[in-house]
Amino acid sequence: MSVSPQIPLYSRTLALILAISFGGSSGALADPQAGDAQTPAPTGNFFSSLKQAFQQDLNREVVRGHFDVGSPPDSHRYYCLVDAKTGKSETNGVAGEPVLRPDGMTGIKAGAVSFYTCANAEQQGILITTGYTLSQGLRSKAATAPPPPPPPPPPPPPAASSASPIPPIPPAPREAYASEAAPVAAPVAAPAAATVPAEILAVYARFIAGQNAHDRAAVSDVLLDSKDFVWAQMGGNSLWGHKEAMDAFQEQWKGTWTLDPQLKEVRIASVAPNVAVLITPLLFTQGDPGGKPSTVPIRWGGAFVKTGAGWRISSIFITPFAGWHALSGP
């Protein structure tokens, strides 16, 4: 049993990764007893899990229960969380490592939002709540808090075209969380075309979250570790090399530096096996330390390559977008 005085920021993404492959932790802090009967997995909606990953704050959330998916030895455990301040329960289960908080409740670190919903797990009778402590005040809040809305219906299959528009999802919040770095390996076989947009969007979400958290490890993890990495900046300069780009990012983070992607207009295209491009408007807020920040619209473009460790951003191209204005409607 490990004790953590504070659950690290950015542990939600993300890492985000939205558990596309649905991997998870198999241990439990209090070692509650799981049921023996096998039931269908409590599936949910991809974009619901992506929305939760952007908004989740693991510093404030505690475990109220868990459920297991799969059969031993290939089983995975997901934890259902509740906000310790508001009593609001999260919709999707989260894979991660349980930790004992100073207040006696169970938290999660290195969390990754899954596709599986806690409501469905509860309906199927596979949600285990014994062994997890909630404060009396939190139990009262959770009892009176309205239930989370049902996840939206799954999107239609993507059209067979080289460019796939992504359904709208909420913009990244101003604060985000950290993920562990993974080594870059050699290229692998081309992925199925239908999964590429979702995987690219998940990596982009990790990049945005890491930038807004000013977390070097999180950003470094999703950039291609190569001297051929290039960041073409809005002013016309180009930075070559992974380390050079990371040093420049870290210097810029000393002031105000926030990225707010406008994903209603995102476009993702598979341009070659294991190569994809993402282009989207983005509101960029920047300011010197102690100075007044300003926000300008830019066009963010990124080239993504598939490696043995997953998708990585190999190039970033920033151009002005003075004529852009936000789409109306929800």
Side-chain angles (χ1 to χ4, degrees):
M1 183 182 298
S2 58
V3 178
S4 172
Q6 180 179 10
I7 302 172
L9 285 177
Y10 188 78
S11 52
R12 74 170 157 191
T13 358
L14 342 202
L16 201 112
I17 296 289
L18 307 173
I20 291 175
S21 60
F22 308 128
S25 170
S26 59
L29 182 71
D31 195 24
Q33 295 297 317
D36 295 328
Q38 291 297 316
T39 58
T43 56
N45 178 270
F46 170 80
F47 289 99
S48 170
S49 64
L50 186 58
K51 177 180 178 180
Q52 179 176 325
F54 269 123
Q55 297 177 341
Q56 192 163 291
D57 185 348
L58 293 184
N59 281 326
R60 289 174 40 172
E61 294 175 325
V62 297
V63 177
R64 65 182 181 91
H66 78 267
F67 58 89
D68 294 323
V69 174
S71 303
D74 188 25
S75 63
H76 303 285
R77 178 157 294 180
Y78 301 95
Y79 298 90
C80 296
L81 308 181
V82 58
D83 191 305
K85 295 186 69 174
T86 66
K88 178 182 178 294
S89 296
E90 292 288 4
T91 301
N92 293 67
V94 175
E97 180 182 346
V99 293
L100 183 64
R101 294 161 44 110
D103 57 13
M105 294 187 285
T106 303
I108 287 289
K109 69 177 182 179
V113 182
S114 79
F115 188 68
Y116 304 123
T117 63
C118 294
N120 286 346
E122 196 161 9
Q123 290 174 359
Q124 295 173 14
I126 61 173
L127 181 64
I128 307 298
T129 58
T130 56
Y132 299 106
T133 300
L134 298 180
S135 67
Q136 184 175 356
L138 180 55
R139 288 188 183 277
S140 300
K141 290 179 182 179
T144 58
S161 64
S162 60
S164 303
I166 299 298
I169 62 174
R174 297 298 185 190
E175 294 183 357
Y177 305 74
S179 65
E180 297 179 355
V184 175
V188 295
T195 67
V196 169
E199 293 177 353
I200 294 299
L201 195 58
V203 173
Y204 181 61
R206 293 176 63 193
F207 172 78
I208 295 296
Q211 285 279 349
N212 290 341
H214 300 177
D215 190 304
R216 183 178 180 118
V219 175
S220 177
D221 183 33
V222 296
L223 301 186
L224 187 68
D225 190 358
S226 169
K227 292 183 178 180
D228 291 329
F229 172 86
V230 60
W231 171 20
Q233 300 169 315
M234 185 167 58
N237 294 328
S238 295
L239 278 177
W240 288 87
H242 176 275
K243 182 181 183 301
E244 290 77 4
M246 289 307 311
D247 289 345
F249 280 135
Q250 191 157 8
E251 183 65 25
Q252 295 290 339
W253 291 338
K254 292 179 180 179
T256 302
W257 180 280
T258 305
L259 308 182
D260 186 3
Q262 305 299 298
L263 294 179
K264 289 183 178 180
E265 299 180 56
V266 68
R267 298 284 293 183
I268 299 175
S270 297
V271 297
N274 298 317
V275 180
V277 172
L278 181 150
I279 298 177
T280 184
L282 184 149
L283 297 180
F284 174 41
T285 302
Q286 184 183 27
D288 294 331
K292 184 178 180 180
S294 61
T295 301
V296 296
I298 62 175
R299 182 185 281 110
W300 191 97
F304 294 69
V305 296
K306 186 68 177 285
T307 74
W311 288 96
R312 295 292 184 268
I313 302 172
S314 64
S315 306
I316 296 174
F317 301 94
I318 306 298
T319 55
F321 205 177
W324 178 85
H325 58 87
L327 290 175
S328 60

